[in-house]
Amino acid sequence: MTADGRTTYTDKTINQAIASLVFNGDGLVPVIAQQHDTGEVLMMAWMNADAVAETLRTGRVCYYSRSRQALWRKGESSGQTQTLVDFRIDCDGDTVLLQVDQRGVACHTGRRNCFFNAIRDDGVAVIAEVVTDPDELYKK
Amino acid sequence: MTADGRTTYTDKTINQAIASLVFNGDGLVPVIAQQHDTGEVLMMAWMNADAVAETLRTGRVCYYSRSRQALWRKGESSGQTQTLVDFRIDCDGDTVLLQVDQRGVACHTGRRNCFFNAIRDDGVAVIAEVVTDPDELYKK
C-alpha cells in the first residue's frame, strides 16, 4: 500500500500472479474492470505479462493495446485513471477481474462505462448519456 | 417476453444485434455474465453468432465452448442455468455484457462465481467457498 492508498505488491507476489495466469497465443489475457463499490462493469481490455506486472507494482491499471501494440496506461492521455483495488483471477487462470476506482469516465466516448448499447424489442438502443465531451478528454 | 418471464427477441432484432457485433478471427466475441440485481461478475465465456441468436431467441444463455467446439447451453448438464435479463454491447462492438439471473452457482468448481483467486501480499489466495459440491452438479 502506497502513502496515497494505492494497492501494490512485491516482485515475488507479482511473479506468483503471472505464473498463475494462462496467457493466450498472443501472450494476452482478457481483463474485466469493475467499479469496486457500485459493481458497475466499466470495460474489458487485455493485458500481457508486462501490463500485469506494472499494474501490480504501481497500483495504477495498465493494459496492453492490441491496436498500438504497446502498454496502455489507462488515463495517460485523458486523465481518467483506474486505481487498483483488487486483482482477481478466474478458475481457469485465463481471465482477470479487476476491482478498480475509476476516475471520471471509463469509455473513450465520454460515457461512464463502455456497455451502453442494449438490445431492445426494436433493435440496438443507446442507454447511457455522454458525461464528458470526448473533445475535452483528449484535448492537447 | 415468454409466459415464464424470459426476455426474448424477434429474428429481425436478433439479426440487428449480430450485425452490430464485431467477431474475432475465430468468429467469437468475449461475453461477461453479471448477476443482474447484485452486480456480481459471475464468469467470462465466448459466443459465436449462433450462440448469440439462440440466447436472444430463447432467453436462456448459450455460449460457444472453444474446447468442445460446440454450442454450450449453460446449465445443460449441471442445472445451473442463466436466464437473460439484458444483452449489452460495448462501444467497439467487440465485447458483450449480459445481465443474467444465475440459478445456483456459475462456476464448475461449485463456487458462486469464477473469480475466486485474489492477489494478496503473500501470493494468490482463494477467497470464496464452494457452495455446491461439483460431484453433485455433474452426477449422472
Side-chain angles (χ1 to χ4, degrees), chain A residues 1 8-10 13-14 16-17 20 30 32 34 38-41 43-44 46 56 66 85-97 107-109 113-124 127, chain B residues 1 8-10 13-14 16-17 20 30 32 34 38-41 43-44 46 56 66 85-97 107-109 113-124 127:
Chain A
M1 182 84 73
T8 59
Y9 298 92
T10 63
T13 298
I14 291 169
Q16 286 177 359
S20 64
I32 303 160
Q34 181 180 35
T38 65
E40 179 181 10
V41 177
M43 57 183 286
M44 202 208 80
W46 298 79
L56 292 171
R66 294 177 301 170
V85 175
D86 207 12
F87 190 110
R88 298 186 186 162
I89 300 171
D90 81 341
C91 50
D92 299 321
D94 64 1
T95 308
V96 170
L97 174 65
C107 185
H108 74 288
T109 65
N113 76 66
C114 295
F115 298 97
F116 55 79
N117 301 294
I119 310 300
R120 294 291 173 259
D121 285 341
D122 53 355
V124 182
I127 61 166
Chain B
M1 183 83 77
T8 59
Y9 297 93
T10 63
T13 298
I14 292 169
Q16 287 177 0
S20 64
I32 303 159
Q34 180 181 35
T38 64
E40 180 181 10
V41 176
M43 57 182 285
M44 203 209 78
W46 298 80
L56 292 171
R66 294 176 301 169
V85 175
D86 207 13
F87 190 110
R88 297 186 188 165
I89 301 171
D90 81 340
C91 51
D92 298 321
D94 63 1
T95 308
V96 170
L97 174 65
C107 185
H108 75 286
T109 66
N113 76 66
C114 295
F115 298 96
F116 54 80
N117 301 295
I119 311 300
R120 295 290 173 261
D121 285 341
D122 52 356
V124 182
I127 60 166

